């Protein structure tokens, strides 16, 4: 439900921006339809992608029933980037080559939004993400926007929470080497050290490693040798951190 509300709010922001930009783009003036692209993992059965698409379509239906944008109907074009970087670049290129797409909703992940953003910036196509949080997405790119906090803020917030609410003064860190994992962890460590939290050790892991389970097992083995490791801070995509939590519990 929260995701549905998020994407509906996102589309409303998109429409407000689109109304202003619309008349600045001559190629759209003669069209009777406004096309908006949405890109994420739209593979059948992938719940997050289905929720994203359903929420956007729900809002578009409402807008069209109210007369559209200045009398022009809004239609959605759905692109499946499969949460894959190379596929995301391909999708962004297809969107950029289309002469009738006004703007983009997406992508879901930072690893895709960053390279896709370079394409949108080059071609002057506005994009808004409702979930990708890497600082690098919007930094230096006036064409990419987000409606969630960035990773640096979250890293700072977590360090404050660990110290002031959970009352820990030491921590061990297990971090993804992805853009998201690196930025949020660097922010956490920087804030933690300024608060007086001792970082006992940090281990990085590759989410796409063919030996992921073995890599994590080695990290946990090394962590077990640390006296009073403190709180264990894990950063990365949820499907990988869940596996790490499972291994920690088993150990």
């Amino acid at each position: 439900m929260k995701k549905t509300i998020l994407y509906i709010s996102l589309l409303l922001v998109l429409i407000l921006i689109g109304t202003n930009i619309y008349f600045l783009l001559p190629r759209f003036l003669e069209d009777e339809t406004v096309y908006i692209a949405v890109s994420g993992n739209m593979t059948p059965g992938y719940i997050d992608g289905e929720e994203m698409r359903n929420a956007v379509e729900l809002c578009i239906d409402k807008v069209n029933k109210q007369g559209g944008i200045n009398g022009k109907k809004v239609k959605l074009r759905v692109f499946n980037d499969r949460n894959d970087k190379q596929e995301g670049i391909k999708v962004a290129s297809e969107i950029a080559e289309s002469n009738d797409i006004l703007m983009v909703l997406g992508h879901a992940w930072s690893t895709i939004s960053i390279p896709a953003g370079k394409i949108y910036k080059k071609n002057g196509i506005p994009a808004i993400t409702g979930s990708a949080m890497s600082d690098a997405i919007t930094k230096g790119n006036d064409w990419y926007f987000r409606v969630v906090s960035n990773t640096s803020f979250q890293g700072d917030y977590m360090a404050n929470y660990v110290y002031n609410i959970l009352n820990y003064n030491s921590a061990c860190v297990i971090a993804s080497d992805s853009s998201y994992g690196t930025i949020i962890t660097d922010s956490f460590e920087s804030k933690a050290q300024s608060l007086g939290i001792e970082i006992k050790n940090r281990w990085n892991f590759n989410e796409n490693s063919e030996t992921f389970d073995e890599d994590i097992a080695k990290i946990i083995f090394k962590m077990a040798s640390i006296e009073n490791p403190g709180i264990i801070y894990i950063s990365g995509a949820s499907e990988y951190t869940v596996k790490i939590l499972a291994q920690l519990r088993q150990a």
Side-chain angles (χ1 to χ4, degrees), residues 147-173:
V147 294
V148 290
S149 60
N150 61 27
T151 46
S152 292
F153 172 83
Q154 292 188 39
D156 284 354
Y157 182 90
M158 289 301 297
N160 274 295
Y161 192 85
V162 166
Y163 184 75
N164 292 305
I165 305 301
L166 301 181
N167 298 317
Y168 277 88
N169 56 18
S170 63
C172 281
V173 177

Side-chain angles (χ1 to χ4, degrees), residues 23-40:
F23 292 103
L24 299 178
L25 300 178
R27 65 186 181 184
F28 295 104
L29 292 180
E30 297 180 357
D31 294 340
E32 294 302 320
T33 304
V34 176
Y35 289 98
I36 295 175
V38 60
S39 182

Side-chain angles (χ1 to χ4, degrees), residues 8 10 12 16 27 53 73-74 76-77 92 117 121 128 131 154 158 174 176 190 194 203 236-237:
I8 291 175
L10 179 61
L12 290 175
L16 288 174
R27 65 186 181 184
R53 177 174 181 170
K73 294 294 183 180
V74 181
L76 186 66
R77 290 195 174 173
K121 178 181 178 180
I128 304 176
S131 56
Q154 292 188 39
M158 289 301 297
I174 303 176
S176 166
S190 177
S194 72
W203 296 272

Side-chain angles (χ1 to χ4, degrees), residues 92-221:
S93 298
E94 291 177 5
I95 293 173
E97 291 172 0
S98 301
N99 294 322
D100 54 0
I101 293 178
L102 184 62
M103 54 186 65
V104 184
L105 279 174
H107 302 251
W109 286 11
S110 296
T111 50
I112 303 169
S113 298
I114 293 171
K118 295 178 181 179
I119 297 173
Y120 299 141
K121 178 181 178 180
K122 180 180 179 181
N123 292 275
I125 301 174
I128 304 176
T129 176
S131 56
M133 294 174 285
S134 173
D135 296 31
I137 296 172
T138 56
K139 187 176 182 179
N141 190 343
D142 293 335
W143 291 90
Y144 224 130
F145 307 86
R146 68 158 58 84
V147 294
V148 290
S149 60
N150 61 27
T151 46
S152 292
F153 172 83
Q154 292 188 39
D156 284 354
Y157 182 90
M158 289 301 297
N160 274 295
Y161 192 85
V162 166
Y163 184 75
N164 292 305
I165 305 301
L166 301 181
N167 298 317
Y168 277 88
N169 56 18
S170 63
C172 281
V173 177
I174 303 176
S176 166
D177 61 7
S178 65
S179 173
Y180 168 77
T182 299
I183 294 174
I184 194 172
T185 305
D186 288 348
S187 177
F188 171 82
E189 286 191 343
S190 177
K191 188 63 176 182
Q193 290 170 354
S194 72
L195 292 171
I197 300 175
E198 179 187 3
I199 304 298
K200 294 294 186 74
N201 210 329
R202 171 176 172 172
W203 296 272
N204 295 323
F205 65 90
N206 184 339
E207 295 178 349
N208 299 314
S209 172
E210 295 181 356
T211 58
F212 176 84
D213 291 336
E214 291 85 349
D215 297 342
I216 300 304
K218 291 178 181 178
I219 290 174
I220 294 175
F221 178 79

Side-chain angles (χ1 to χ4, degrees), residues 47-65:
I47 301 300
D48 288 353
E50 291 180 357
E51 290 182 348
M52 181 179 184
R53 177 174 181 170
N54 290 340
V56 174
E57 288 180 340
L58 179 66
C59 193
I60 286 178
D61 288 344
K62 182 178 180 180
V63 170
N64 285 333
K65 287 179 181 178

